[in-house]
Amino acid sequence: AIDDTLDLSKSKFVVQGFGNVGAPTAMKLQQLGATLVGASDINTALWNPNGLDVQELNRIRKQHGGLKNYTHDVHKIFSAKKLDWLLEAPCDILIPSARPDAITGKNVDRIQCRYILQGANTPSSKSIEYYLHHRRKILSLTDFIVNAGGVIGCAVERNMYVDHSYKQRVKNMGIRNYVEKLIAKTISKNVSDIYERMNNKSDAIFRDLAWELALERLNSHEVWQ
């Protein structure tokens, strides 16, 4: 069965790749009460179990040197050659948002979290996710489900271009407001549907059932708006 007892207000999370995906994710999680304890970019990785200042990280991330410009307290700083060490830091939620194959057979036994949110494309493989779930009791939520916000935004733009009434409805609600609510609603529903399937299939992993759901939607020509 899936453990759904995570309390964000008491949770700590790590973001590998504090960029266009990782930074907004960190901002959202902080707003929900979670504490960012680790963050990295191509320059450095920062770790503080008491929490990092998300606002400052977001402000400096596009400056020359990126997160090297962080001025608040840190417990550990990893150099550019040791960035992947941050993936092994203890937390409740690990968010690899930097590159493919961040979690492999080389570090899978050292990952210390309860959940992985795949912000990057394919940060791990199917076999690694199976090992994480069935040997390490770590649930990895597949990239094409949890990081689908950009695709959903593009679909909204396309629908606005071809459907005037839809375009007007979106504008009346405010484009950003509409898109953010649609992303939250769509991804939340998809994750809930997959969780339910996992509870009925003890040998499954999130990726397989996400793929199953996607094929069903495509075959049924299900439309969202």
Side-chain angles (χ1 to χ4, degrees), residues 67-83:
L67 300 194
K68 279 188 174 182
N69 298 304
Y70 187 71
T71 60
H72 292 269
D73 291 339
V74 293
H75 283 219
K76 291 184 180 180
I77 299 177
F78 302 106
S79 67
K81 292 183 178 180
K82 298 179 179 179
L83 296 177

Side-chain angles (χ1 to χ4, degrees), residues 146-166:
V146 297
N147 75 3
V151 174
I152 295 172
C154 288
V156 170
E157 288 187 4
R158 185 263 179 192
N159 282 357
M160 289 176 66
Y161 181 76
V162 300
D163 186 337
H164 179 74
S165 62
Y166 176 77

Side-chain angles (χ1 to χ4, degrees), residues 22-198:
T25 302
M27 301 284 281
K28 292 290 185 182
L29 284 173
Q30 184 194 53
Q31 291 170 9
L32 294 170
T35 302
L36 177 67
V37 294
S40 69
D41 62 6
I42 61 172
N43 303 291
T44 190
L46 309 173
W47 162 255
N48 186 344
N50 297 319
L52 298 169
D53 187 323
V54 177
Q55 299 293 336
E56 181 176 1
L57 290 172
N58 190 49
R59 180 178 60 80
I60 65 176
R61 68 186 178 90
K62 292 185 178 181
Q63 295 179 2
H64 179 71
L67 300 194
K68 279 188 174 182
N69 298 304
Y70 187 71
T71 60
H72 292 269
D73 291 339
V74 293
H75 283 219
K76 291 184 180 180
I77 299 177
F78 302 106
S79 67
K81 292 183 178 180
K82 298 179 179 179
L83 296 177
D84 284 351
W85 287 14
L86 186 67
L87 292 166
E88 303 168 17
C91 60
D92 297 293
I93 306 168
L94 174 62
I95 307 172
S97 304
R99 59 178 177 77
D101 297 318
I103 301 172
T104 67
K106 294 180 179 179
N107 61 4
V108 67
D109 280 315
R110 297 193 296 273
I111 302 298
Q112 302 181 67
C113 65
R114 293 172 60 190
Y115 297 92
I116 297 172
L117 300 183
Q118 297 185 9
N121 293 328
T122 60
S124 60
S125 66
K126 178 178 176 177
S127 59
I128 292 296
E129 289 162 24
Y130 186 94
Y131 185 87
L132 284 166
H133 185 62
H134 292 288
R135 297 293 184 269
R136 301 289 322 283
K137 306 303 180 185
I138 297 171
L139 180 62
S140 186
L141 279 68
T142 312
D143 53 356
F144 64 85
I145 296 294
V146 297
N147 75 3
V151 174
I152 295 172
C154 288
V156 170
E157 288 187 4
R158 185 263 179 192
N159 282 357
M160 289 176 66
Y161 181 76
V162 300
D163 186 337
H164 179 74
S165 62
Y166 176 77
K167 179 179 181 179
Q168 195 58 50
R169 178 154 58 93
V170 172
K171 282 190 171 183
N172 290 340
M173 293 181 63
I175 296 176
R176 185 180 184 88
N177 178 55
Y178 176 86
V179 172
E180 287 197 355
K181 286 185 176 180
L182 180 62
I183 290 171
K185 177 182 177 182
T186 304
I187 293 179
S188 296
K189 182 180 186 303
N190 288 341
V191 170
S192 295
D193 288 349
I194 295 166
Y195 264 38
E196 185 175 347
R197 292 171 186 237
M198 291 189 76

